[in-house]
Amino acid sequence: MAARKGLTLTDVLITVVIALVFSIIYSIWGGVYTALQPFGLHLNELVYGMWFIAAVVAYLIIRKPGVAIIAEFAAASGETIVLLQFDVMLMLYGLIQGLACEIVFAIVRYKSTALMVAVLAGVAAALSTLPLDWYYGYLGHLETWNLVLMVGFRVLSGALIAGWLAHLLYRGLKETGVLKLVGSREANHSGEL
Amino acid sequence: MFGSIKKYETFADRSNPITKIFMAVILFITVVFIHNPNYLFHLSIIMMLAMIVLSGVKFRYLAALLCFILLIGFISSLYMIFYGEGTTTLYRLGIIHITEESFVRGIHIMMRGLVLSFFGATVIFTTRITDVFYSLMQQLKLKPKYAYSFMAAVRMVPIIASEYMALRQARKVRRALIDKKYVSGLKGFRTAVITLLSQSIRRAYRLGIAMEAKGFDDGPRTYYHKTSFSLSDVFLILLTAACIYTAIQLGQTAAPFASTDAR
């Protein structure tokens, strides 16, 4: 097949399917998140990073411009479909988080699959929605220690779940050999780990 | 999709999905800029009424949904109620410190969530998912490859779900033979997700190639399902604007909260 530069329909379809697998996980994860909320100690922020994982995994697999943002947006809208709850905030957040990941991937020119890149993208996504949360949730009016705890937990979670765990999943997928089918069909996925 | 639990249809069902999404965005922005809890109190009640009337869904389903939305909304505002800044102490227990200011602010955040959830539920009950993509392609000129891959992928969700159930059952059968760490915990999660992902990628690849071969590309195309803007969209926009206006007017006369600024 001729090497086409942009996203082909197959690329988009694979991205969206990956995103929808994660949107099912997101929906289940929402229960975990809510269960951790009543303490109010932001323990829920420790699991927040799961919500950016689709962007990172989809990028690691396909590595083309636009994939991260499509994946994250599709996962967010998929979540509204799975939960039957249309939540404009969720889709907006998905878009912003996807964009944050996309910027990190653009900086490495969509080439690197290093663990560090994934971690950086996770952290970027974790930080990306803080300004919105600041206004929506009046974070400026929290006790300072509580705010620090929240931001710290969120960044840690972005790095661990969206970064490290996403990379772990990517390496596992690579071992299955399924990645030979996808993305720019260069020597990308054939090499050893 | 909700045919079995719906009683009637309104103009909300006939308006274009894009209008609904656009109105939801407007509502989100409005809600973020409202700092007076009295306005928001009335807006959430009006939105609740709008959901009950416009969705056309049988009341017992709405009642269940209402309880769910209220519960989730309350839980998600607890962080502010417990740990927000404030001077007038209402209750203190260890690190939990509820003040009058933080309580009002917490309730304010909860009401923001309620307004959006009620409107979101109305949208879900009155919109067919495929119509969203058809109008995105026809009115907003979204490239068909995005819309069709999304529609095709949504069809795969039940397959993915049933694959997951099969995987679970397979593990249950083999429970005595395999190490527990492959079932629960991180390793269990990893193996489950990788299995689901690899199968889904294979299926998506096959489907994608087939769709490309059949010409689902970006060329000009005609549609069997046509969507358009109509008078119903005007009604919806006017109604949303009226809701916001009424809420602000009511908030100035009937004020359940003493404070007028949650900040």
Side-chain angles (χ1 to χ4, degrees), chain B residues 98-109:
Chain B
I98 304 178
T99 63
E100 211 175 299
E101 290 88 343
S102 73
F103 184 73
V104 171
R105 213 178 293 131
I107 297 296
H108 190 76
I109 294 169

Side-chain angles (χ1 to χ4, degrees), chain A residues 7 10 40 136 138 141 143, chain B residues 35 80 83 85 112 145 212:
Chain A
L7 288 171
T10 311
Y136 184 85
Y138 292 127
H141 294 274
E143 303 273 2
Chain B
H35 299 298
M80 182 52 83
Y83 305 109
E85 280 176 345
R112 283 182 169 175
K145 76 177 170 200
E212 276 181 40

Side-chain angles (χ1 to χ4, degrees), chain A residues 4 7-10 12-14 16-18 20-22 24-25 34 37-42 50 61 70 74 77 81 84-86 88-89 92 132 135-143 145-146 164-165 168-169 172-173 176 178 181-182 185, chain B residues 2 21 24-25 28 32 34-35 72 75-76 78-80 82-85 95 105 108-109 112-113 120 123-124 129 145-146 149-150 152-154 156-157 160 186 189-190 193-194 197-198 200-202 204-205 207-209 211-212 216 262-263:
Chain A
R4 276 186 279 172
L7 288 171
T8 61
L9 183 129
T10 311
V12 181
L13 186 59
I14 292 174
V16 177
V17 168
I18 293 169
L20 288 184
V21 171
F22 280 110
I24 297 175
I25 297 172
T34 313
Q37 263 179 339
F39 309 104
L41 274 175
H42 301 297
M50 185 59 93
I61 291 172
I70 295 173
S77 19
I81 293 171
L84 288 181
Q85 237 186 334
F86 173 74
V88 72
M89 209 172 135
L92 203 63
L132 253 179
Y135 282 105
Y136 184 85
Y138 292 127
L139 295 184
H141 294 274
L142 271 176
E143 303 273 2
W145 63 269
N146 204 271
W164 178 76
L165 184 62
L168 193 71
L169 291 179
L173 273 175
T176 64
V178 72
L181 298 173
V182 291
R185 294 164 186 77
Chain B
F2 295 100
I21 294 171
V25 174
F28 175 73
V32 169
I34 291 181
H35 299 298
I72 296 285
I75 289 175
S76 63
L78 281 179
Y79 75 92
M80 182 52 83
F82 285 176
Y83 305 109
E85 280 176 345
I95 48 170
R105 213 178 293 131
H108 190 76
I109 294 169
R112 283 182 169 175
V123 173
I124 278 287
I129 291 167
K145 76 177 170 200
Y146 297 112
S149 29
F150 208 103
V154 168
M156 287 190 194
V157 170
I160 299 170
L186 183 64
F189 175 80
R190 183 175 166 228
V193 173
I194 289 174
L197 276 178
S198 61
S200 304
I201 291 172
R202 266 180 236 278
Y205 176 74
L207 183 64
I209 297 294
M211 282 170 77
E212 276 181 40
F216 277 93
R263 281 174 293 185

